[in-house]
Amino acid sequence: MTTTESTKTTGATVAPARIALSGVHKRFGALEVLKGVDIGVEPGEVVVLIGASGSGKSTLLRIMCDLERADSGEVWVNGVPLHDRKRAPEIFGHVGMVFQQFNLFPHKTALGNVTLALLKVRKLTRAEAEERGRAALARVGLADKATAYPAQLSGGQQQRVAIARALAMDPAIMFFDEPTSALDPELVGEVTGVMRALAEDGMTMVVVTHEMRFAKDTADRAVFMDGGVVLEQGPPEQVFGNPAEARTQQFLHRVLDT
Ligand SMILES: Nc1ncnc2c1ncn2[C@@H]1O[C@H](COP(=O)(O)OP(=O)(O)OP(=O)(O)O)[C@@H](O)[C@H]1O
Ligand SMILES: [Mg+2]
């Protein structure tokens, strides 16, 4: 089934969107974490999610990349409806994920980490996987670290290997959940620099981050989450410079002061 056909069957306008969510609810036991989220991300768009701890940013991101399922509402990724479990495998090739913790295998080299899924999931030959893996490492500026083990790399370099691992799968969209939060401050720039280059190459990205400078100079849209809903969204300069909601102002004062 094509995207166009999928669109027809639900009436949702997902055709050009990389992601479309409508009316997404999620609860963990008695706690209602997402209370009806509607959001769309267009191809090539860079969206940053901001909001206080516990506002539901990670949960929303995890639902977008199918690590968590919504209780109700619709989620489409690259034209594939996630409620159609038979088609869920189609989206795995479309999404790349990068988290705060790099989750590299310590006993594998940088290239070994980057090629693992290409070999095991994509079933590429070793030569093909290594060619793609080296290209991905080059893209994050680590061509010379292919044979290094994670313990021999800085935190920033390890996170760039994790980004290369996601890129090697040739994703249509990348999700980042606080990719620089575990890094020493002086290493943040090398990771946001790689992310900025990806954005300039036209990658569709959804990024949970507290890096306001990255958000301001790279994002097309900032989305402020509060208590499980999208309270406010717009161009970063507007959301950061002239927020409409008092809750957004309070949040920005807190993060900009610390
Ligand atoms: N698997 C889970 N089981 C139970 N509660 C959960 C689970 N995952 C998240 N929560 C709760 O849901 C709420 C939202 O969590 P979430 O991780 O989405 O927030 P967040 O905005 O990413 O916060 P932070 O900025 O601290 O990362 C929190 O109260 C959290 O404790
Ligand atoms: Mg989180």
Side-chain angles (χ1 to χ4, degrees):
M1 195 162 55
T2 66
T3 305
T4 320
E5 282 161 346
S6 310
T7 307
K8 267 189 230 147
T9 55
T10 65
T13 50
V14 294
R18 285 286 188 246
I19 311 179
L21 279 77
S22 82
V24 167
H25 286 258
K26 179 72 184 177
R27 57 167 65 242
F28 293 110
L31 186 66
E32 193 178 11
V33 176
L34 298 179
K35 301 174 181 169
V37 174
D38 302 302
I39 193 170
V41 179
E42 302 302 316
E45 206 181 7
V46 178
V47 172
V48 293
L49 292 181
I50 59 170
S53 180
S55 58
K57 305 177 300 291
S58 294
T59 304
L60 182 62
L61 205 74
R62 290 171 60 80
I63 286 173
M64 285 177 169
C65 55
D66 206 28
L67 289 173
E68 198 87 69
R69 289 182 70 178
D71 296 330
S72 61
E74 298 243 12
V75 183
W76 298 70
V77 177
N78 227 29
V80 178
L82 294 193
H83 58 265
D84 184 351
R85 303 315 294 174
K86 286 199 294 292
R87 300 187 64 203
E90 287 178 45
I91 70 147
F92 292 135
H94 295 311
V95 304
M97 295 161 241
V98 177
F99 301 102
Q100 184 175 343
Q101 302 303 332
F102 329 125
N103 298 321
L104 299 178
F105 286 109
H107 61 287
K108 287 195 175 287
T109 62
L111 187 62
N113 272 283
V114 172
T115 54
L116 191 63
L118 295 174
L119 293 165
K120 302 281 181 204
V121 181
R122 291 289 171 83
K123 314 281 187 204
L124 298 188
T125 65
R126 183 160 297 277
E128 288 166 338
E130 291 194 348
E131 191 188 333
R132 274 173 72 163
R134 285 182 195 282
L137 285 172
R139 218 170 151 190
V140 300
L142 292 177
D144 57 337
K145 296 290 185 185
T147 58
Y149 288 88
Q152 298 168 320
L153 298 171
S154 72
Q157 290 170 335
Q158 289 183 60
Q159 189 60 302
R160 283 150 66 198
V161 172
I163 294 172
R165 175 178 57 187
L167 280 176
M169 302 293 275
D170 200 19
I173 176 161
M174 300 262 298
F175 297 97
F176 296 84
D177 194 350
E178 302 201 28
T180 58
S181 297
L183 300 177
D184 291 338
E186 72 269 26
L187 302 178
V188 167
E190 66 187 66
V191 172
T192 53
V194 164
M195 293 168 66
R196 194 170 287 122
L198 288 179
E200 281 163 8
D201 283 351
M203 179 65 76
T204 309
M205 295 164 53
V206 182
V207 185
V208 177
T209 186
H210 298 298
E211 289 300 320
M212 292 297 157
R213 217 179 93 198
F214 169 81
K216 275 187 198 158
D217 63 23
T218 305
D220 299 302
R221 180 152 49 111
V223 173
F224 176 66
M225 292 199 56
D226 187 53
V229 297
V230 172
L231 191 66
E232 170 164 11
Q233 58 179 314
E237 58 274 20
Q238 179 200 312
V239 173
F240 299 139
N242 189 18
E245 301 287 338
R247 299 276 303 170
T248 317
Q249 286 172 19
Q250 286 162 10
F251 169 79
L252 289 170
H253 277 303
R254 276 207 311 278
V255 288
L256 298 177
D257 283 352
T258 51

